[in-house]
Amino acid sequence: MTITLTAGIHQLRPHTCQDKERPHCQLPQAWQLAVLFAGLGLLSIGAGGIRPCNIAFGADQFDTNTEKGRGQLESLFYWWYFTFPIVLVVALTVVVYIQTNISWTLGFAIPTACLGFSITIFLLGRHTYICKKPQGSIFTDMAKVIAAAFRKRNIQASGRAIYNPTPASTLEKDRIVQTDRFEFLDKAAIIADPSELNEQGMARNVWRLCSLQQVEHFKCLLGILPVWVAGICCFIVMDQQNTFGVLQVVQTKRSIGPHFKVPPGWMNLTSMIALSIWIYIYERVY
């Protein structure tokens, strides 16, 4: 909405430069730049908050302990990754064409209205969603494992009892078995002294004694860390491709016939169409 306002309200941006040969353009004022960067910042926060959470929230709606629930979960992922590129194709064709050839204000207002519409639909169904109760922060568990392993760094692990309680809400098939990787972290679950347990057999100080499940969850996180780092490099290249390609198209002849020019934003259509086609082939053919 803020970006839409910057396009629709003339006072929020500098005057259009008319002298193309020897430009003496008015520079944007500090408060105008502040509004623009605030809009971009809010856009980044909103996208960063929604995109990692919505598909995970959708997955929470299905019971993966049943065959029907697992099938519905697979269907969710399929339709999600199939419709997402299609929506982007519509945005890159219709919306980009409106922005380039009709009005930037209308072009920004369309996705703003779509976002408001989607928020309305989401709120209308808020009483029907399955919302799992928070079970603590994963970052707190990571800090506990690191702190406990560091405190017991000089303890020999061989022959020691491992603290591995079973919470009542945990199914046997959901338990993670002990692995051999990152063995130095196993010291966080070693019972070095019987006094570390209370009368119920639970840890007295969770910063000195962690469960084996906490340790193994941390190991899993460390195991996928290289994938996460590689993903950063991947998306940096992909984002450069989007902007670099558009800049090249701006400098080319884009006319098709006497009355139509291809909008530069259409440069990114190829990858989206290819992604949609290959998702369908992978899921339905291969």
Side-chain angles (χ1 to χ4, degrees):
M1 185 172 63
T2 306
I3 298 297
T4 306
L5 292 177
T6 61
I9 301 177
H10 299 291
Q11 290 80 5
L12 292 179
R13 61 181 188 273
H15 293 291
T16 303
C17 186
Q18 301 296 336
D19 189 356
K20 301 298 182 182
E21 298 298 328
R22 299 184 62 185
H24 299 282
C25 301
Q26 177 184 351
L27 296 176
Q29 299 182 29
W31 68 271
Q32 292 174 330
L33 287 175
V35 173
L36 174 63
F37 289 135
L40 294 175
L42 291 171
L43 189 62
S44 300
I45 294 172
I50 292 175
R51 292 179 183 176
C53 298
N54 52 8
I55 193 168
F57 181 76
D60 286 343
Q61 309 307 305
F62 305 103
D63 184 7
T64 55
N65 295 320
T66 64
E67 187 68 29
K68 180 181 179 181
R70 289 191 290 270
Q72 290 174 332
L73 182 61
E74 291 179 2
S75 178
L76 168 71
F77 282 105
Y78 164 71
W79 285 109
W80 170 263
Y81 286 108
F82 180 72
T83 56
F84 185 70
I86 293 178
V87 172
L88 286 180
V89 167
V90 174
L92 289 172
T93 52
V94 178
V95 177
V96 167
Y97 180 82
I98 292 174
Q99 291 175 342
T100 307
N101 298 283
I102 300 177
S103 168
W104 280 99
T105 306
L106 180 60
F108 283 133
I110 291 175
T112 303
C114 290
L115 180 60
F117 181 64
S118 65
I119 292 174
T120 302
I121 294 177
F122 177 78
L123 294 178
L124 287 175
R126 66 188 183 279
H127 296 301
T128 63
Y129 300 137
I130 298 173
C131 298
K132 294 187 176 181
K133 294 182 179 180
Q135 298 178 349
S137 170
I138 186 175
F139 298 105
T140 304
D141 285 344
M142 291 165 51
K144 290 176 181 177
V145 172
I146 295 173
F150 179 77
R151 284 172 172 169
K152 298 179 179 179
R153 62 189 181 278
N154 297 323
I155 295 178
Q156 296 297 325
S158 58
R160 298 276 188 171
I162 297 295
Y163 177 59
N164 191 22
T166 304
S169 60
T170 302
L171 299 176
E172 186 63 30
K173 68 180 185 63
D174 294 331
R175 290 173 59 84
I176 303 177
V177 298
Q178 187 174 6
T179 58
D180 294 332
R181 59 180 181 177
F182 309 119
E183 292 183 349
F184 61 93
L185 293 174
D186 291 339
K187 294 183 178 182
I190 290 177
I191 304 176
D193 192 320
S195 63
E196 291 183 327
L197 302 177
N198 58 21
E199 292 77 9
Q200 290 76 33
M202 304 302 291
R204 293 182 183 274
N205 188 341
V206 294
W207 290 91
R208 290 182 176 272
L209 180 61
C210 300
S211 68
L212 180 63
Q213 298 302 300
Q214 288 176 303
V215 173
E216 291 300 326
H217 283 144
F218 188 31
K219 288 182 180 180
C220 291
L221 192 63
L222 291 178
I224 65 171
L225 194 61
V227 180
W228 177 71
V229 174
I232 294 177
C233 303
C234 173
F235 281 102
I236 287 176
V237 174
M238 291 175 64
D239 286 338
Q240 296 302 317
Q241 166 192 327
N242 293 337
T243 56
F244 184 77
V246 170
L247 289 175
Q248 305 311 303
V249 176
V250 169
Q251 303 176 69
T252 61
K253 294 181 179 180
R254 297 178 284 113
S255 298
I256 298 179
H259 304 295
F260 182 76
K261 277 190 174 184
V262 177
W266 286 14
M267 177 67 186
N268 300 324
L269 280 174
T270 306
S271 58
M272 294 297 102
I273 295 175
L275 182 59
S276 300
I277 294 174
W278 281 110
I279 287 177
Y280 181 82
I281 292 175
Y282 179 80
E283 291 289 340
R284 296 304 184 187
V285 180
Y286 176 74

